[in-house]
Structures are given as structure tokens and as C-alpha cells.
């Protein structure tokens, strides 16, 4: 009996030990094997393919370098040509037309209004990855801009989509130093004589944004506060960190601006474009056989400017460079915290820009808004000395936007490579702290923005529900996980059979392997014809291949027509100009 009691006591002791080791404390969970993978999605705003130091730029970006050294840089990644449309695909893994973003909220084609898929905000036709992470018990965090709907825009803000912590703005951008909108409310009868406040929220409640704190600092400090709260609660986190840099108004901390000024004054528009083209080639980010992009008729020539205009423009672009440098500093701040808290090993990091650089300039008769320019002149300080301050409202314009893309053509709003080929890096969990086979690689695999959410879910071990979510029918995603590629089990993300298509403003393209079929309407300064390119060998899109490859051209045309028919795409008049429509809508 005594021996039986001893054995029973030992059994209870062993069971107790086993129980205690399988139920770690919150502190041990943060670094333990049972901890779910954290996800850090970093979104740059209107940043060009050639803007980052790790993409050949003259702008030093040591913290982007940390991401590139640990993970993979992608040189053939495509977003959409505008902010909200990209975000809808990144959030769902679906085509833009399937989730309400067949229209851009700043420029609706008249005949598309009221038609399914053209709402201009994220609809409930699909499930978002934020909802799926919420379902798995994550803290789901959004910081920065939203631009997917809510309040007067229609649709819903982030809290509706599973974010239980949120901070920032619903719109597409704002003043970087205070609580002012970046544009007026044109419907206000007295808009010309005043500035307007941006609506800021913290966890769904109105937030009084402090003056004089730069956007990058404000957003990053709040993000880290949210993450620390999650860490204290022992919860995994999914973060959607949407910077508003380098979106206009072009403003930045003054101590970051001066260092860039001389370089841009010496290079000018054409000089910077050539410099970045050569650097992209040198670093293997575009093909060594790539040729320079053709001249663009919408772009000003540097030598046509007066000396004072050159100085002004150089200062504006130096401020743009400072915006990017600040973003790099803020990413470093986030990485440093993750390292100090022992979380780098268990965090997947994705960085991307939402589209190419913004070429809007009020004074341009082709792509501008004269009334907007008048409002700026009346309400802001347009002097050289004010550039970058809270009381300035500058933009880089078509010439600098064209230059920023280096060896690519066009910029934001356009489906040329300069508008949709953007920086993107992935650091898989563990890659920052352990040996990773693909660390430091540059890859030109075909990669769509809608593949990113599927890759993120795959690494988090979350299965997408497909076409049914909580008893409701939703659109199944067409994105593809890149995990097999990232783990070295495959050399591709998308095969030739995994083609994808895209349309906005009546301009369209289809990617199949390295080949891109594209049509740009005359109203958006194209020739209205379909052309075929190999965008790996020819990223500047100068060489038409439709006559050389008639069978491929015919096959890809047939595929696009099937996509157009399946999604009931609205036919856009050949002469319609999306920029003028944006001005008229205002």
C-alpha cells in the first residue's frame, strides 16, 4: 500500500511538471515555439521602383537594407496603378473588380456608376485577411491610411473588417504635420478661402491629432504602443502599417532635406532618370539588355526651367527623398523593438509600395486640376523657404515622377511598368535570425499583389475558407501563395498557366509568364492598340512583339476577352480622360 502511494505521488508530480511546461507563461510565449507567427505588413505610399537605396537609389536606406539582406527583393512585382485598388487586392487576394474597386474613388467613369464592382470602396463580396486573423485570435492592428471606404466615402472603416486596434485616417492622405486635409472639399461653396480638417480616429473614436509631430513619428509610436499591448497580453499580432510617405503634400523634417538638395539640382529631371536607369541595371534589378525608357511628351525639360525654378524643383524633390529617408528610419525603429523583444525570429515582414510615384501637378493641362492649384496658391505658402513645412502643399509632378522610375515608363494612374512595378520585399519568419537560403536574393519571378495575402496566410497557418465564409457566399481569391518559392522548393510563383488580368480607367493588361499584353486608351495618352511585351527583357516597354509572336498574342487576347466577359467590365470611351474627370468631379 505504501509503495502504491509513492507511485501515485510520483505520477501526480510528473503530471504536474508536464502540465506546467505545456502551458508557458506570457513571457515565454513571446519567444517560445507555441507562439503563432506575427505578421508585419509595411506599405509605402506612391514610392517608385527606383526610389529606395536597395533598389539602386541614391537615397540611403540602411533599414530597408536590413530587410533586403535577410529576405528576398522582387524586381518583377506588380501592384495596381493607384492606392485604394492595390489595397483591395492586398486585403483579399481577389481581382479589384470583384471587391468594389473597379473604380478609383477620385475618378469615376460616368457609365460605371451604380454597377456591381465599381462602388469605389471595399465591398463584402470577399473575406479579408484581417477578418481571418481576427478569427484566429490575433490582435489585428491598422495604423496609417485606410482608403478602402468608410463614412462619406461609402463602405466601412477598418473596425468592420476585423481590426480590433486602429489609428489614423480613412482617406487617401493628409498633411504630414497637422490635422489638415491634403485637398479641399470642393462641394463647399467657400472652399477657395479656407483649409479643411482631416478626420482622425483612434480605435473608432475621434482623435485630436497634435500639431508639429511628423506623420512617420506619430504612426510608428502608436504602432509600437499597440504591439507592446499585444505582447503584454501574450497575443500574436497582424499589423497593417500604411505610411502616408511619400504621398503629397511633399513635407518632411527639415534636418533630412538639405543633404539631398545639391544632388537633384545637379542632376535635374533627365539626369536623375538616366542615373537611376544605370543603377537599376548595375544592381541586377532590371535586365542588362534593358534600354532607356522613351521620352514622354507630358514631361517638362530641365533646361526649359529658369534657374530659380530649378532650385525650387530640386528642393521639392529633396523633400520627397527626405520623406523616404524618414520612412526608412521608422522601419528601423520597428525592427529595433522587435529585435530587443526577441520577436524577429517569429515575425514575417512584407514591404511594398502601393503604386508608382504620383505625377499629379495642378498646372498641367493634361493631368492637372487648375482649380486645385488656385486653392493651394491662396491658402499655402508657396515660397522656396516654406517647402517641406506644414504650411506648404507641394507635389513632385510629372517630370520628377517620370525620373524616379529610372528605366521604366509612366507613373501612378498608368499601367505602364512605372505605374505598377514597385519595390517589394519579403522576410520569412526566422530569416532575420537564422540562415535563410534565399537571403539577399533579387528575383524577377512574376508576382502579383494579390499573391501576397495568400502567402501571408500560408505562413500563419491559416486556411482561406474559399467561396463560403460564416455561411455567406464570397468570392474565392485568385492569388497564389509564394511560400514554395520562398522556401526554395520552386523557382516560380506563377507558371505560364497562372495568368492574371487587370483593368482600370479602360486601360488593361494581362500577364502570362514574362509577357505582358497591354492597351492604353488615347484619352490616357496611349495609342488605343493592344501590344505585347517581354517585361523582363524590356521593362521600358519599347519593343512590340505582337508581329513576332502572333500565336502568343492571339492566345493572350483571347484570355483577356474571357476575363472581360466574365466580370462584365464596362467599356470606356476611347477619348475619356481620367484626370479631367477627377477635376470635374471635384
Amino acid at each position: 500500500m505504501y509503495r502504491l502511494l509513492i507511485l501515485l505521488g510520483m505520477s501526480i508530480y510528473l503530471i504536474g511538471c508536464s502540465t506546467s511546461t505545456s502551458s508557458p507563461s506570457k513571457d515565454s510565449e513571446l519567444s517560445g515555439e507555441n507562439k503563432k507567427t506575427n505578421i508585419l505588413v509595411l506599405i509605402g505610399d506612391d514610392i517608385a521602383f527606383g526610389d529606395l537605396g536597395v533598389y539602386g537609389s541614391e537615397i540611403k536606406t540602411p533599414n530597408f537594407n536590413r530587410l533586403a539582406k535577410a529576405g528576398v527583393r522582387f524586381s518583377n512585382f506588380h501592384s495596381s496603378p493607384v492606392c485604394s485598388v492595390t489595397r483591395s487586392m492586398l486585403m483579399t487576394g481577389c481581382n479589384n473588380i470583384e471587391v468594389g474597386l473597379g473604380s478609383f474613388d477620385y475618378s469615376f467613369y460616368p457609365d460605371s456608376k451604380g454597377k456591381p464592382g465599381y462602388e469605389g470602396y471595399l465591398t463584402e463580396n470577399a473575406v479579408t485577411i484581417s477578418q481571418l486573423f481576427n478569427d484566429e485570435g490575433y490582435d489585428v492592428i491598422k495604423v496609417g491610411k485606410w482608403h478602402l471606404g468608410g463614412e462619406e466615402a461609402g463602405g466601412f472603416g477598418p473596425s468592420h473588417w476585423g481590426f480590433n486596434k486602429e489609428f489614423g485616417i480613412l482617406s487617401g492622405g493628409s498633411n504630414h504635420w497637422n490635422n489638415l486635409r491634403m485637398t479641399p472639399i470642393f462641394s463647399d461653396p467657400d472652399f477657395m478661402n479656407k483649409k479643411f480638417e482631416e478626420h482622425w480616429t483612434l480605435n473608432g473614436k475621434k482623435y485630436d491629432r497634435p500639431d508639429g509631430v511628423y506623420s512617420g513619428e506619430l504612426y510608428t509610436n502608436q504602432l509600437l504602443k499597440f504591439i507592446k499591448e499585444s505582447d503584454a497580453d501574450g497575443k500574436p499580432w497582424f499589423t497593417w502599417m500604411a505610411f502616408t510617405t511619400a504621398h503629397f503634400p511633399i513635407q518632411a523634417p527639415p534636418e533630412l532635406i538639405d543633404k539631398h538638395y545639391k544632388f537633384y539640382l545637379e542632376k535635374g529631371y533627365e539626369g536623375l532618370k538616366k542615373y537611376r536607369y544605370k543603377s537599376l541595371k548595375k544592381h541586377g534589378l532590371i535586365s542588362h539588355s534593358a534600354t532607356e525608357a522613351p521620352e514622354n511628351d507630358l514631361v517638362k525639360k530641365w533646361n526649359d526651367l529658369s534657374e530659380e525654378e530649378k532650385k525650387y524643383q530640386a528642393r521639392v524633390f529633396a523633400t520627397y527623398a527626405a520623406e523616404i529617408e524618414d520612412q526608412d528610419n521608422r522601419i528601423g525603429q520597428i525592427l529595433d523593438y522587435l529585435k530587443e523583444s526577441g520577436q524577429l525570429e517569429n515575425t514575417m515582414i512584407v514591404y511594398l509600395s502601393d503604386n508608382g510615384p504620383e505625377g499629379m501637378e495642378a498646372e498641367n493641362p493634361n493631368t492637372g486640376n487648375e482649380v486645385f492649384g488656385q486653392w493651394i496658391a491662396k491658402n499655402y505658402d508657396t515660397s522656396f523657404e516654406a517647402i517641406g513645412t506644414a504650411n506648404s502643399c507641394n507635389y513632385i509632378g510629372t517630370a520628377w515622377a517620370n525620373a524616379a522610375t529610372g528605366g521604366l515608363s509612366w507613373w501612378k494612374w498608368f499601367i505602364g511598368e512605372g505605374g505598377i512595378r514597385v519595390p517589394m520585399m519579403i522576410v520569412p519568419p526566422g530569416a532575420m535570425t537564422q540562415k535563410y537560403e534565399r537571403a539577399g536574393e533579387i528575383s524577377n519571378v512574376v508576382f502579383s499583389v494579390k499573391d501576397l495575402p495568400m502567402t501571408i496566410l500560408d505562413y500563419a497557418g491559416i486556411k482561406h475558407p474559399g467561396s463560403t465564409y460564416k455561411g455567406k457566399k464570397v468570392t474565392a481569391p485568385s492569388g497564389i501563395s509564394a511560400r514554395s518559392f520562398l522556401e526554395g522548393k520552386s523557382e516560380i510563383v506563377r507558371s505560364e498557366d497562372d495568368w492574371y488580368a487587370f483593368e482600370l480607367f479602360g486601360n488593361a493588361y494581362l500577364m502570362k509568364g514574362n509577357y505582358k499584353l497591354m492597351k492604353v486608351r488615347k484619352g490616357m495618352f496611349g495609342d488605343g492598340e493592344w501590344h505585347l511585351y517581354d517585361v523582363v527583357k524590356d521593362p521600358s516597354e519599347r519593343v512590340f512583339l505582337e508581329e513576332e509572336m502572333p500565336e502568343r498574342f492571339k492566345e493572350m487576347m483571347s484570355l483577356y476577352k474571357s476575363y472581360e466577359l466574365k466580370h462584365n467590365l464596362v467599356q470606356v470611351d476611347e477619348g475619356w480622360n481620367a484626370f479631367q474627370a477627377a477635376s470635374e468631379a471635384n
Side-chain angles (χ1 to χ4, degrees), residues 33 59 86 156 241 267 337 356 391 393 438 484 490 539 552:
E33 292 181 3
I59 304 168
T86 292
F156 305 98
M241 176 59 165
K267 292 293 183 185
Y337 170 72
N391 199 32
C393 191
R438 289 199 183 274
S484 292
S490 173
R552 177 177 286 275

Side-chain angles (χ1 to χ4, degrees), residues 45-87:
D45 204 349
D46 295 359
I47 290 178
F49 185 66
D51 271 340
L52 306 181
V54 288
Y55 278 79
S57 171
E58 67 291 342
I59 304 168
K60 306 303 181 191
T61 53
N63 295 298
F64 282 112
N65 293 4
R66 292 165 71 180
L67 299 180
K69 184 178 179 181
V72 181
R73 269 174 290 175
F74 292 88
S75 60
N76 193 20
F77 169 78
H78 290 115
S79 66
S80 91
V82 292
C83 315
S84 56
V85 176
T86 292
R87 291 159 204 267

